[in-house]
Amino acid sequence: MLSLVPRRATRLLTVHGRPIACLSRSLAPLASASAYLPTHTSTRTFLSWFKKKPSSASPQAKGKVQQAPILTGDNLFHPFSQSPFPAIRARGEALRQLAPCPVCASEHKHGTHTHTPQPHNVSHECPDCGWPTHCSEEHWHADPEHQKYCGRLREVNEDEHDLRSGRRMREFELPGPQDIEAAISFANWDVFWYTREFPSMDTERSRRHASKILTYPITIGSVLHQFSNLTLSNQRLTPEGSRSLAALRTNLHVPPGAPETPDAAITKPQMRIFILGARAESSLPAHVWEQLCMLFPSALFHLYFIGPQVSLPRPPSELNRDPASKAASSDAPTASSEDLVQPKEDPAKSDEQSEPEEKPVYLPNVYEPPTPAPIARLKRTRSSIQQYGVPSYTVPYTPQLTITGMQANYMEVHAQFQETFDPYTDCFFLFSPGLGFPSPNSVNEATGEPLLQVASPTEWGPVLPLLLASKCPIFVTGFSPADVERDVKSLSTAPEVAGEFDWVITPGPNEFLSEKWEVADFDPRVMVKTNWGVWGIRGKRREVREKTSWLGLGA
């Protein structure tokens, strides 16, 4: 039935021939109205006869000509060692140093080759997927399991080349404010994109690109929104969770029958969303997080990114040396695919052009996340180190959205928030926190085995009891079914956590996961999807009641 409904025009403006979705925030009514005006067959006036026609060879005309993409849609597959992009070639070298050959590892595990002390690393590139997967061509032929995941590896290979191909990334042209008369559906990605007026996702590759950058803000929106797909009827939402979300939604939405307009937010308190252990989500451009605000037109948001891997803006001294960064630090948000596609670990082009010092083109993420790269510095960005006492920044991006990032552990800043938490305005999100993983720093003194991170004093051990004590809902995601199960089981053994929480959302799949496979650098066979599942808890509430006898008389 959706195909029979005429689709509303996407609010998209262009500047110098390039799409700028950010301008649609302020000029959306003008753009949408002009889309329905009748077109005139002739617009030439009498005075225009004497007007000089612009020359096609003028510098202005040359500047408007869009550069041809480096790779075309039928030329995206390249073996890593022959890739035209230095970052992909560097990733292939990292795999050769980290990933063991699966055939050698199997033989070493079963003791068939006792003369081989350690399995060889991968060096042979599969001609079908382009990844280095085995130590030799003989072992590549001898591995029947490789065909089970070879197709996924080729898919990731082409996706990575497509992101750097230089084509116009229409899937990154984000829409403007939502029509107040149009409801948003959170059934799945397809229906959400349609009701949210996104450009049509014509290919599976476009779906993967768009879902990867939108999975963080839309996962938050799908949990908190009144039209969430997590309901009591499908048993994903519990009665206790219904009460917690009802408290939050009193400030996220307007009363029934009232229009969802920005004017309704004047008398509302600011919604605070604390994203703990933030990593990749802190490096997303601000205009991507603005999509969360457009789901709640009558709410004010303040996002707090807290964690040792939070990305901070570039120092002002670097802005003066790097002229290219001035354009990225403009006041208005931009939807350029260059900002979205460029990964944190790929400063190859900037290194070759402007900086004489050598920097690593690719930093593998093996056991600990690499040092975060600086993000673009917006015009109103200010340092907050005097307020929070840790490396931090705050940017009032729009009147509806404020972003604060703190590069520190949560325990270092908890004292500044502990007296201000309110279940009606605050909530926590932990994206793939790894609660059930062994701690690399803490060991059980009795057994000598590593503690789980949920109980480790250097990771989440002292944090979760404080979050539960606030009585604010805590939402957690996992990158696979096994990861979700591992984190949930770890709660039953964590001190001051086991038995001290109520379920808000039962563990299960997240409809707004990233559909792009993420491949591990230490083993190409390990592939996950960001935010595959989601669940939520809240500190247990104990109601005090007067004790009575079974006859209803006082004791």
Side-chain angles (χ1 to χ4, degrees):
M1 293 299 294
L2 292 178
S3 61
L4 302 178
V5 181
R7 184 180 178 85
R8 292 182 294 274
T10 302
R11 301 182 180 118
L12 180 65
L13 304 181
T14 59
V15 175
H16 299 296
R18 303 185 68 180
I20 304 297
C22 63
L23 298 180
S24 60
R25 186 184 74 245
S26 57
L27 302 179
L30 177 62
S32 59
S34 62
Y36 296 96
L37 293 178
T39 58
H40 300 281
T41 57
S42 176
T43 59
R44 185 168 183 174
T45 63
F46 174 77
L47 295 178
S48 65
W49 292 349
F50 304 99
K51 189 175 181 180
K52 184 179 179 181
K53 296 181 179 180
S55 174
S56 59
S58 62
Q60 294 82 358
K62 291 182 180 179
K64 294 181 180 180
V65 178
Q66 189 176 4
Q67 295 182 354
I70 301 174
L71 299 176
T72 58
D74 57 351
N75 188 30
L76 295 177
F77 174 74
H78 295 273
F80 275 34
S81 61
Q82 303 175 18
S83 172
F85 305 107
I88 297 181
R89 295 197 301 269
R91 185 175 187 181
E93 293 299 326
L95 286 165
R96 291 181 176 87
Q97 298 176 6
L98 298 172
C101 172
V103 176
C104 293
S106 177
E107 294 176 349
H108 178 76
K109 180 178 179 181
H110 293 88
T112 56
H113 287 184
T114 56
H115 62 279
T116 304
Q118 291 294 334
H120 296 94
N121 288 344
V122 297
S123 58
H124 174 71
E125 291 182 338
C126 171
D128 298 325
C129 65
W131 289 69
T133 57
H134 297 81
C135 65
S136 63
E137 184 176 359
E138 291 75 12
H139 279 190
W140 175 72
H141 283 292
D143 186 8
E145 299 293 325
H146 177 67
Q147 294 301 322
K148 296 180 180 180
Y149 55 89
C150 182
R152 294 179 183 177
L153 291 177
R154 183 184 179 101
E155 179 183 288
V156 176
N157 183 327
E158 295 180 353
D159 287 349
E160 293 298 323
H161 284 90
D162 182 59
L163 288 174
R164 299 167 174 82
S165 64
R167 70 172 177 88
R168 179 180 177 181
M169 309 296 290
R170 295 185 180 274
E171 52 267 44
F172 294 156
E173 297 173 2
L174 308 181
Q178 180 74 3
D179 188 350
I180 61 174
E181 297 182 356
I184 302 175
S185 174
F186 291 92
N188 51 53
W189 275 121
D190 290 322
V191 182
F192 171 79
W193 283 327
Y194 183 86
T195 56
R196 187 63 188 86
E197 300 181 356
F198 271 78
S200 178
M201 304 296 171
D202 297 327
T203 63
E204 292 295 324
R205 181 169 291 114
S206 296
R207 291 173 53 89
R208 294 192 292 269
H209 291 337
S211 64
K212 181 176 180 179
I213 66 166
L214 292 171
T215 180
Y216 293 108
I218 306 306
T219 294
I220 295 177
S222 67
V223 171
L224 301 180
H225 203 277
Q226 62 182 355
F227 298 147
S228 173
N229 61 333
L230 307 174
T231 62
L232 291 169
S233 59
N234 59 17
Q235 299 182 356
R236 291 298 306 276
L237 184 65
T238 64
E240 294 79 8
S242 179
R243 289 192 285 267
S244 292
L245 289 178
L248 292 173
R249 288 166 182 170
T250 57
N251 292 313
L252 289 171
H253 299 283
V254 296
E260 291 262 7
T261 60
D263 296 337
I266 296 177
T267 59
K268 289 185 177 181
Q270 200 173 45
M271 297 293 303
R272 299 191 303 178
I273 300 178
F274 295 86
I275 303 176
L276 308 186
R279 297 182 293 270
E281 54 269 33
S282 67
S283 63
L284 283 176
H287 71 272
V288 176
W289 283 105
E290 190 183 15
Q291 291 295 310
L292 173 63
C293 301
M294 295 180 184
L295 304 179
F296 305 92
S298 60
L300 304 176
F301 287 94
H302 194 156
L303 303 181
Y304 290 88
F305 298 114
I306 305 175
Q309 279 81 41
V310 169
S311 296
L312 298 179
R314 296 186 182 94
S317 57
E318 292 188 9
L319 297 179
N320 298 330
R321 291 183 301 171
D322 187 6
S325 61
K326 294 182 179 180
S329 61
S330 60
D331 183 21
T334 61
S336 171
S337 62
E338 194 74 22
D339 298 334
L340 293 171
V341 173
Q342 189 77 8
K344 296 190 299 181
E345 66 278 3
D346 185 15
K349 295 184 179 179
S350 60
D351 293 346
E352 295 175 356
Q353 295 176 1
S354 60
E355 298 185 5
E357 57 178 309
E358 295 184 0
K359 291 185 177 180
V361 179
Y362 180 79
L363 295 175
N365 185 356
V366 185
Y367 301 108
E368 293 184 359
T371 302
I375 58 177
R377 189 179 189 89
L378 303 178
K379 185 176 182 179
R380 291 188 290 268
T381 301
R382 63 177 184 269
S383 175
S384 301
I385 188 171
Q386 295 181 352
Q387 180 178 0
Y388 299 109
V390 296
S392 56
Y393 74 95
T394 298
V395 51
Y397 186 66
T398 66
Q400 195 181 0
L401 176 64
T402 303
I403 298 176
T404 296
M406 307 179 197
Q407 197 175 84
N409 291 319
Y410 175 74
M411 293 301 299
E412 300 178 40
V413 296
H414 171 74
Q416 305 191 38
F417 299 103
Q418 62 179 350
E419 301 296 335
T420 64
F421 287 127
D422 185 355
Y424 282 80
T425 59
D426 302 330
C427 64
F428 300 93
F429 275 85
L430 284 62
F431 292 107
S432 302
L435 302 177
F437 276 94
S439 171
N441 305 318
S442 304
V443 180
N444 189 333
E445 297 179 356
T447 62
E449 298 180 354
L451 291 172
L452 298 182
Q453 293 190 23
V454 71
S456 170
T458 58
E459 277 93 15
W460 295 105
V463 174
L464 280 183
L466 297 178
L467 303 186
L468 294 175
S470 69
K471 306 303 179 183
C472 298
I474 307 166
F475 303 102
V476 188
T477 68
F479 53 73
S480 67
D483 184 49
V484 171
E485 181 181 4
R486 179 170 49 240
D487 288 351
V488 171
K489 286 184 176 180
S490 68
L491 299 179
S492 61
T493 60
E496 301 183 43
V497 175
E500 297 297 326
F501 64 88
D502 293 323
W503 285 102
V504 176
I505 295 177
T506 57
N510 174 24
E511 292 292 340
F512 297 95
L513 76 165
S514 170
E515 296 186 354
K516 183 180 183 298
W517 288 103
E518 304 295 337
V519 183
D521 294 328
F522 59 86
D523 192 343
R525 297 173 297 176
V526 179
M527 286 173 274
V528 297
K529 289 186 175 181
T530 306
N531 298 335
W532 177 90
V534 63
W535 49 278
I537 58 176
R538 182 201 64 194
K540 183 179 286 295
R541 295 184 179 181
R542 295 177 172 88
E543 298 180 1
V544 179
R545 296 180 180 179
E546 183 180 358
K547 184 179 179 181
T548 59
S549 65
W550 65 277
L551 293 176
L553 303 176

